[in-house]
């Protein structure tokens, strides 16, 4: 069962909080409570340590890769209230930009879809969300802050996919892109934010969870006609939110688990949802033609399971 | 005697002790080995009782010698203040005469805490109740102690009389005169330093080399259960009543955090394998609270500490009285309940999880390890992730074939393959002129029948069954005819209406494919009952899977349309039991009354083509239009691509594709059909979105060739949407574009037109504008525009446009040369061919990745 899984010993000295694979799937970055970020080459099943980035003074909660069209960028956020953007130049990683304008631990970072430009969103325990936009003319980062996005703190953010024509094909009708973010926080809420001129406004407030929202994930849109968001919470539930127009959102409880649900992540085409929970399981869920969500990793149990990985002690 | 049950892991990883009225030593066994242990601890582990010791009745506290690797040495603090050393049976400590040794305070009172020094392992600290003029913290050295009088090792009590001639052990150090000690904890890194909770009012840090003055102290009532963070000597925790306090010894005046509990706390403990994770247990509770405490000092500033609380239920519903963290196993703990039942529990950390763009799923597995599944693993295939299939299809060149039917051969999905076949068919019919004047290459049945326009009057032809040789019949079949209906039948693949020969051919093909029931049903629908009988009989004779069909043939042979005939009644009832949808439909057709064929039309086991074709033959105009409308809506709603037959490349077709995409996520088929089938002028926007999404996918997978081929295909269908030129080749000296001249050249204009019309004669090695030479190839040192010099087979390959002659350069160091030279060079080298340049051009290039694999 284990042989078909790749195992990577990260060498981190404390708990790993996040692991992200870059756009092309060639490199893996991990971050940990030991304050460090590590980058591995995982091409062809190898795992070679390329870089060990030290620059944070607290546990590093989350990392995010930038789109390769902006160069090799990696953003990280930490308990030390800082957001650092790292850049690779000539094979060496160095600090590219540091943002230290949060009053508390920064819990989540994510780069916006490349069509919007080079933009990073950060969610913090001080309840605010920052949106950092790179201005190529001045080579600076401009920060906008959403104050009091979530009482007690924001735990997770996720960008809406950009559904936009490429400029090369759209010569006659320039469309303005509407940037949207979803965030989840300690106030048990999931909120949708929309950029309106130079401000970010709260577009929807989704109230179903009964405990801290741990993670939110806006499904990648591959030409789909609707928006889908998955959120998970300490209330042990995963909720799927769908909307045609981003105005009205319908919620359905995908599943109630036996324990806290930590993370949700969509497959590339947004049709399979991976869920990790406090029961130490990773399960995969897919919507069947009737619209119900089914655990498909249980279906394939006989052939080698992904779920039910009891930690080898 | 204390009813309180305590539990503690020993330094031997698979052993633990419990103690209350007696001390028990247990060994953990795995249930996987098939052994049946005395007690079960979890689904995978149990424990066997190895030994018990009940000689000590007033055990107040126990600490275990930290260096015990094979045998255990326990220090037991008792109600009378004595600290006794204990072993289970014969041990390595016997030669040192340690078992049974006792350390006796001058004045008996309760011992509240014992603690082995973690570095100088021969030292034990004992914390005692208050006695008027005696010290309450005594430091004993086990090696400086008189031998116990009783050498049997049974731990017989030493009678403590000051008058006895026996030399009593003297403590190495002592302090805390007239004070009361509640708890003790050694620092992990400084063997001389101990923290002591005293008098219900302060915690003192004492260097026992100078015990009379404390190094540091704080005023607090939280003096119980002192414990040192195993990963950070600066943090310690203690509790009182409902409160747990966490202290930083550098800033000892006030706690970093105070954790309030609903009920009195009875035990706390840092997790040895996780940083900053503190567990606490409350009285009369079946849960353990975990606190992930983050506290960092950035520069001089102290960041506000954050505490993440989590509650775990170690299983037992009974009240937990104690727990113990395992020293090395990640997040493992034992909990013991009032009833004495023990639970082996592992606290699972947060699993972070990410689905990478290349279909890897990565998640954390424990503290250090990452697990990932990638799309090469067999397990991934079982997930049927559509993106994985899209990738495989893209690599095979799916969607790039000009002939529609070739694409059908590249997909494993029958529905998608059928669409391609239908697109091929409809395109052929348009090209052959059978379908004309629809302004579309793929008209659907609905537009052919003009369903949305006026109702055309069709001719009704009645054909008597008896004339067709069915002697039991008196009525006749009613067939509707119209030229539009004929066209529709063509689209359904039923192009044999008036041509018996093509029907036979069609049926023969079906028989070759072993679709006997379908062949028979279609024969019947074409009123050729005899033919159907032949088909069924042949099938039953020649093929094993058709064995039961002769029974069907028998039934069919008795066809009668007499309403009251036995045959009709029997068939109507038996029909429902038939498994094969075509056989069901066949009998439904024959037993239908008043020309209402609902049972055929709604037979979902039949292909959509056959149902539509049937409807085109046997339904009146109004009914036909109604049926097609409802069927179209149904199929669109389902996202069933079979509906293409009805919609063709109309607006409904786009809706159908969108529904198909929503249901399956198959952006590839959607985008490709969108490009190939839907005219660009009308459906530009929706198709464009699909194309962008599909391109992004190909980019992510680095399928550059496939993406380029797709783009070429896309521009051939959308000439107006040609992407603007993105790469310009300009002269190093004058900065003028060279490619502009090359383009002009093709059109026979520009300064080089006199050199000859054909491109293969062209050798442009200098800037056409300023006449300065173009850059040289780093390998052959020839100027750009010259051929590579490697002779090629025939003249046709010698064109300038040939890729191997093409000038290529590294995007990062800007060195380059003829493509074939470059590829040749990088087969043996990793660095740029230009001497001082150390750029690893090829590994930077994604092509390099593909060549390597």
């Amino acid at each position: 069962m284990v042989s078909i899984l790749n195992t990577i010993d990260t060498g981190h000295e404390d708990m790993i909080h996040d692991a992200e694979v870059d756009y092309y799937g060639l490199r893996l970055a991990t971050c940990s409570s030991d304050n460090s970020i590590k980058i591995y080459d995982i091409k062809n099943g190898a795992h070679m340590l390329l870089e060990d980035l030290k620059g944070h003074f607290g546990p590093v909660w989350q990392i995010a890769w930038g789109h390769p069209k902006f160069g090799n960028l990696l953003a990280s956020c930490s308990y030390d209230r800082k957001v650092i953007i790292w850049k690779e130049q000539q094979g060496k990683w160095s600090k590219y930009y540091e943002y230290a304008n949060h009053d508390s631990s920064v819990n989540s970072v994510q780069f916006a879809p490349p069509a919007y430009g080079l933009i990073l969103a950060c969610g913090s325990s001080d309840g605010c969300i920052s949106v950092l936009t790179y201005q190529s003319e001045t080579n600076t980062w401009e920060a906008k802050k959403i104050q009091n996005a979530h009482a007690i703190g924001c735990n997770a953010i996720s960008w809406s996919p950009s559904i936009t024509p490429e400029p090369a094909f759209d010569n006659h009708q320039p469309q303005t892109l509407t940037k949207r973010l979803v965030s989840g926080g300690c106030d048990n809420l999931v909120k949708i934010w929309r950029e309106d001129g130079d401000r970010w406004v709260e577009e929807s407030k989704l109230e179903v969870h009964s405990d801290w929202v741990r993670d939110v994930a806006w499904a990648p849109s591959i030409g789909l006609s609707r928006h889908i968001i998955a959120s998970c919470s300490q209330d042990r539930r995963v909720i799927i939110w769908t909307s045609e127009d981003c105005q009205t959102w319908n919620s359905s409880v995908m599943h109630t688990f036996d324990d806290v649900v930590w993370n949700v992540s969509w497959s590339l085409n947004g049709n399979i949802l991976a869920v990790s929970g406090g029961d130490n399981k990773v399960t995969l869920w897919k919507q069947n033609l009737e619209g119900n969500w089914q655990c498909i990793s249980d279906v394939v149990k006989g052939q080698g399971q992904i779920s039910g990985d009891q930690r080898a002690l | 005697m204390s009813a309180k049950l305590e539990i503690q892991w020993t330094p031997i990883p698979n052993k633990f002790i419990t103690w209350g009225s007696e001390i028990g030593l247990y060994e953990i066994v795995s249930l996987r080995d098939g052994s049946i242990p005395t007690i079960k601890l979890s689904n995978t582990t149990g424990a066997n009782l190895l030994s018990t010791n009940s000689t000590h009745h007033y055990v107040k506290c126990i600490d275990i010698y930290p260096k015990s690797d094979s045998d255990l040495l326990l220090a037991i603090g008792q109600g009378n203040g004595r600290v006794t050393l204990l072993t289970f049976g014969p041990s390595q400590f016997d030669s040192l005469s340690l078992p049974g040794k006792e350390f006796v305070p001058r004045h008996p009172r309760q011992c509240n805490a014992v603690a082995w020094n973690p570095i100088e392992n021969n030292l034990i600290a004992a914390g005692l109740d208050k006695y008027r003029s005696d010290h309450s913290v005594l430091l004993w050295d086990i090696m400086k102690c008189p031998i116990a009088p009783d050498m049997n090792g049974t731990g017989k009590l030493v009678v403590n009389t000051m008058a006895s001639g026996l030399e009593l052990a003297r403590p190495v150090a002592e302090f805390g005169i007239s004070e009361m000690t509640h708890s003790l904890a050694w620092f992990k890194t400084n063997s001389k330093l101990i923290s002591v909770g005293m008098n219900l009012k302060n915690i003192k840090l004492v260097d026992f080399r100078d015990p009379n003055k404390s190094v540091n102290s704080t005023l607090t009532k939280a003096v119980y259960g002192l414990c040192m963070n195993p990963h950070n000597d600066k943090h310690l925790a203690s509790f009182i009543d409902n409160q747990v306090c966490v202290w930083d010894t550098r800033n000892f005046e006030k706690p970093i955090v105070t954790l309030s509990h609903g009920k009195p706390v009875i035990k706390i403990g840092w997790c040895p394998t996780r940083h900053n994770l503190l567990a606490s247990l409350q009285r009369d509770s079946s849960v353990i609270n975990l606190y992930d405490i983050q506290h960092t000092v950035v520069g001089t500033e102290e960041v506000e500490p954050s505490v993440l609380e989590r509650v775990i239920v170690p299983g037992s519903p009974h009240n937990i009285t104690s727990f113990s963290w395992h020293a090395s196993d990640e997040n493992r703990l034992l909990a013991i309940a009032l009833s004495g039942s023990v639970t082996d529990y592992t606290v699972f950390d947060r699993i972070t999880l990410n689905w990478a763009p290349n279909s890897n799923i990565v998640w954390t597995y424990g503290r250090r390890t990452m697990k990932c599944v990638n799309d090469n693993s067999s397990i991934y295939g079982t997930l049927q992730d559509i993106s994985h299939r899209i990738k495989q299809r893209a690599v095979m060149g799916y969607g790039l074939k000009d002939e529609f039917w070739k694409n059908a051969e590249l997909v494993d999905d029958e529905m998608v393959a059928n669409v391609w076949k239908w697109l091929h068919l409809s395109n052929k019919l348009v090209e052959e002129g059978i379908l004309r004047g629809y302004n579309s290459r793929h008209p659907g049945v609905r537009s052919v029948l003009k369903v949305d326009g006026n109702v055309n009057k069709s001719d009704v032809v009645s054909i008597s069954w008896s004339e067709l040789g069915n002697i039991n019949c008196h009525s006749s079949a009613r067939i509707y005819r119209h030229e539009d209906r004929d066209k529709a039948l063509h689209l359904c693949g039923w192009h044999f209406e008036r041509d018996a020969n093509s029907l036979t051919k069609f049926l023969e093909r079906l028989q070759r494919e072993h679709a006997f029931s379908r062949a028979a049903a279609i024969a019947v629908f074409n009123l050729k009952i005899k033919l159907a009988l032949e088909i069924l009989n042949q099938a039953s004779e020649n093929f094993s899977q058709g064995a039961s069909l002769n029974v069907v043939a028998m039934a069919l042979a008795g066809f009668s349309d007499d309403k009251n005939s036995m045959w009709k009644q029997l068939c109507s009832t038996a029909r429902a039991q038939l498994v094969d949808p075509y056989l069901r439909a066949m009998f439904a057709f024959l037993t239908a009354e008043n020309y209402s064929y609902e049972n055929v039309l709604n037979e979902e086991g039949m292909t959509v083509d056959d149902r539509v074709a049937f409807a085109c033959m046997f339904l009146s105009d109004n009914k036909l239009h109604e049926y097609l409308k409802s069927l179209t809506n149904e199929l669109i709603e389902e996202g069933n691509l079979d509906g293409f037959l009805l919609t063709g490349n109309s607006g409904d077709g786009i809706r159908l594709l969108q529904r198909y995409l929503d249901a399956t996520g198959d952006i590839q088929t959607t985008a490709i059909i969108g490009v190939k089938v839907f005219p660009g002028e009308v459906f530009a926007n929706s198709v464009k979105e699909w194309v962008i999404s599909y391109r992004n996918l190909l980019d992510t997978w680095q399928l550059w060739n496939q993406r380029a081929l797709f783009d070429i295909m896309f521009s051939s269908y959308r000439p107006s949407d040609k992407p603007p030129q993105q790469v310009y080749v300009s002269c190093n000296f004058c900065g003028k574009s060279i490619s502009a001249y090359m383009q002009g050249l093709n059109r026979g204009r520009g300064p080089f037109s006199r050199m000859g019309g054909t491109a293969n004669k062209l050798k442009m090695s200098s800037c056409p504008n300023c006449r300065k030479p173009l850059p040289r190839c780093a390998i052959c040192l020839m100027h750009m525009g010259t051929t590579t010099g490697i002779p090629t087979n025939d003249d046709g390959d010698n064109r300038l446009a040939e890729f191997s002659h093409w000038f290529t350069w590294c995007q990062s160091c800007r060195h380059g040369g003829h493509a074939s030279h470059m590829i040749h060079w990088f087969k043996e080298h990793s660095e740029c061919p230009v001497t001082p340049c150390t750029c690893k051009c090829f590994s930077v290039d994604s092509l390099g990745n593909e060549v390597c694999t």
Side-chain angles (χ1 to χ4, degrees), chain A residues 5-8 10 14 17-19 57 59 79 169 223 225 263 265-266 268-269 271 276 286 303-304 310, chain B residues 275 294 296 304 350-352 354-355 357 365 368-373 379 382 384 386 658 662 665 692 695:
Chain A
L5 304 172
N6 263 326
T7 305
I8 299 169
T10 61
D14 204 345
H17 294 293
D18 195 16
F57 296 96
Y79 169 75
F169 294 96
S225 59
N263 275 103
S265 181
W266 291 101
L268 193 50
N269 274 28
N271 56 347
S276 73
K286 194 174 185 176
Q303 295 139 46
Q310 287 297 318
Chain B
H275 288 237
Q294 293 298 340
T296 317
E304 187 196 342
R350 199 182 84 124
I351 303 176
T352 178
N354 275 294
W355 203 306
Y365 187 76
R368 285 168 60 117
T369 334
M370 307 288 314
K371 292 268 172 193
C372 55
V373 172
I379 185 172
T382 60
Q384 306 213 313
I386 185 72
Q658 182 70 61
D662 289 351
I692 292 163
R695 278 189 182 143

Side-chain angles (χ1 to χ4, degrees), chain B residues 665-711:
Chain B
D666 182 1
I667 183 70
Q668 184 180 40
T669 301
T670 312
I672 293 168
I673 291 184
V675 171
K676 287 199 170 219
V677 173
F678 290 89
E681 313 82 55
V682 191
F683 302 106
N685 280 332
S686 32
V687 173
K688 203 185 289 171
E689 254 173 41
W690 298 335
V691 166
I692 292 163
S693 301
Y694 181 48
R695 278 189 182 143
N696 282 339
L697 270 187
L698 292 176
D699 286 354
T700 308
W701 292 323
Q702 295 175 290
L703 297 175
W704 310 121
N705 290 335
Q706 284 79 2
R707 150 117 204 220
L709 292 169
F710 176 79
D711 280 354

Side-chain angles (χ1 to χ4, degrees), chain B residues 522-745:
Chain B
I522 290 175
V524 169
F525 296 154
N526 284 285
L527 312 181
K528 309 256 191 289
I529 290 185
K530 285 233 172 77
L531 192 57
L533 285 173
E534 273 168 38
I535 290 168
L536 291 173
N537 281 327
Q538 272 176 15
S540 64
E541 278 164 26
N542 301 331
F543 301 98
S544 56
Q545 69 264 50
S548 61
L549 290 177
N550 55 352
V551 185
V552 179
M554 240 154 68
L556 185 61
F559 169 53
S560 156
D561 62 351
D562 184 353
K563 269 189 193 135
N564 303 318
S565 73
M566 185 75 94
W567 186 87
K568 199 154 191 174
Q569 283 165 11
L570 272 177
C571 282
S572 303
T573 48
R575 195 176 59 84
Q577 292 162 16
L578 286 170
V579 185
D580 189 306
Y582 278 97
L583 296 180
R584 263 204 312 265
M586 186 168 79
F587 286 105
F589 170 64
L590 293 175
T591 57
E593 284 174 19
N594 298 330
Y595 305 106
S596 73
Y597 299 112
E598 269 73 28
N599 285 330
V600 183
L601 296 170
N602 298 329
E603 178 57 65
E604 297 208 339
M606 281 169 70
T607 64
V608 172
D609 324 15
D610 290 342
R611 284 156 72 189
V612 171
F614 180 87
C616 287
M617 284 176 76
F618 295 104
L619 289 190
S620 65
D621 289 328
N622 285 330
K623 275 190 176 170
L624 176 63
H625 289 194
E626 218 170 87
Y627 174 68
L628 292 182
K629 265 181 197 161
S630 72
L631 184 63
T632 311
N633 289 337
E634 191 186 308
L635 293 173
I636 288 178
E637 202 49 45
E638 284 174 16
N640 186 338
L641 286 183
D642 291 340
F644 244 87
L645 169 68
L646 297 165
T647 63
N649 59 354
S650 62
D652 277 346
I654 285 279
R655 267 178 50 216
L656 172 63
L657 269 181
Q658 182 70 61
R659 289 292 305 171
Y660 167 75
L661 177 61
D662 289 351
T664 63
D666 182 1
I667 183 70
Q668 184 180 40
T669 301
T670 312
I672 293 168
I673 291 184
V675 171
K676 287 199 170 219
V677 173
F678 290 89
E681 313 82 55
V682 191
F683 302 106
N685 280 332
S686 32
V687 173
K688 203 185 289 171
E689 254 173 41
W690 298 335
V691 166
I692 292 163
S693 301
Y694 181 48
R695 278 189 182 143
N696 282 339
L697 270 187
L698 292 176
D699 286 354
T700 308
W701 292 323
Q702 295 175 290
L703 297 175
W704 310 121
N705 290 335
Q706 284 79 2
R707 150 117 204 220
L709 292 169
F710 176 79
D711 280 354
I712 293 167
M713 194 267 295
F714 180 74
S715 344
S716 72
Y717 282 87
R718 301 276 193 283
S720 58
D721 268 349
K722 212 166 218 163
Q725 191 172 8
Q726 287 160 359
V727 178
Y728 299 91
V729 184
S730 64
C731 172
N732 258 341
F733 298 96
C734 66
K736 289 257 169 67
S737 167
I738 292 167
S739 55
Y741 283 96
M742 290 166 128
Q743 275 178 349
L745 208 142

Side-chain angles (χ1 to χ4, degrees), chain B residues 254-439:
Chain B
K254 57 178 182 20
I256 306 171
V257 276
T258 303
L259 310 163
S260 296
H261 291 67
K263 288 186 257 184
V265 177
I266 54 176
K267 190 177 172 88
I268 56 175
W270 294 97
C271 174
T273 58
R274 268 279 306 278
H275 288 237
N276 312 317
L277 187 70
L278 183 70
S280 72
L281 175 67
Q282 302 168 64
R283 181 169 295 152
D284 303 329
S285 141
S286 61
V287 301
I288 294 174
N289 294 48
L290 299 180
Y291 298 91
D292 190 336
I293 300 159
Q294 293 298 340
H295 174 250
T296 317
V297 177
V298 180
T300 54
E301 253 186 301
E302 205 171 303
V303 180
E304 187 196 342
S306 83
V307 179
L308 276 178
E309 188 182 345
R310 206 175 145 193
V311 174
I312 55 163
V313 187
S316 163
H318 308 289
N319 294 339
I320 301 169
T321 58
S322 182
F323 66 90
S324 172
W325 288 105
H326 195 277
S328 53
D329 287 347
E330 243 174 68
N331 293 358
R332 182 179 184 184
L333 61 80
L334 284 175
I336 190 163
L338 206 54
S339 61
S341 69
V342 179
T343 313
D344 184 356
Y345 185 82
T346 300
V347 182
F348 298 123
D349 274 327
R350 199 182 84 124
I351 303 176
T352 178
L353 171 82
N354 275 294
W355 203 306
N358 62 340
S359 311
N360 283 344
I361 316 171
V362 185
W363 68 93
T364 48
Y365 187 76
R367 191 170 50 137
R368 285 168 60 117
T369 334
M370 307 288 314
K371 292 268 172 193
C372 55
V373 172
N374 64 25
D375 53 1
N376 296 328
S377 11
S378 57
I379 185 172
Y380 202 89
T382 60
L383 297 181
Q384 306 213 313
D385 180 8
I386 185 72
S387 54
H388 179 53
R389 285 159 90 187
I390 289 177
K391 188 176 176 183
Q392 287 177 328
R393 289 175 190 171
V395 170
M396 289 189 296
Y398 169 65
L400 300 172
K401 309 281 187 230
D402 286 332
E403 294 91 344
F404 292 112
W405 60 272
K406 282 194 180 164
N407 293 317
E409 289 176 349
L410 291 175
V411 283
D412 43 7
D413 186 314
E414 202 183 339
M415 178 168 79
V416 178
N418 282 336
V419 175
W420 287 110
K421 287 179 190 155
W422 183 82
L423 290 173
H424 174 73
L425 174 72
S426 55
N427 190 38
K428 202 176 90 190
L429 292 172
V430 171
E431 276 176 3
E432 286 171 357
I434 295 170
L435 302 178
R436 220 181 272 234
Y438 296 104
N439 196 18

Side-chain angles (χ1 to χ4, degrees), chain B residues 777-825:
Chain B
C777 167
I779 306 283
C780 69
L781 303 180
M782 298 293 276
H783 291 286
M784 179 181 163
T786 52
T787 53
T788 54
I790 299 170
T792 41
N793 307 344
D794 55 307
D795 302 340
D797 279 357
N798 223 355
R799 283 167 300 158
L800 189 67
E802 180 71 19
F803 180 72
S804 57
H805 303 170
W806 204 274
F807 217 70
T808 182
W809 60 92
C810 170
Q811 292 296 320
S812 77
C813 72
R814 307 282 169 189
H815 297 130
H818 293 113
S820 62
H821 290 159
M822 287 298 130
I823 290 172
H824 191 68
W825 172 267

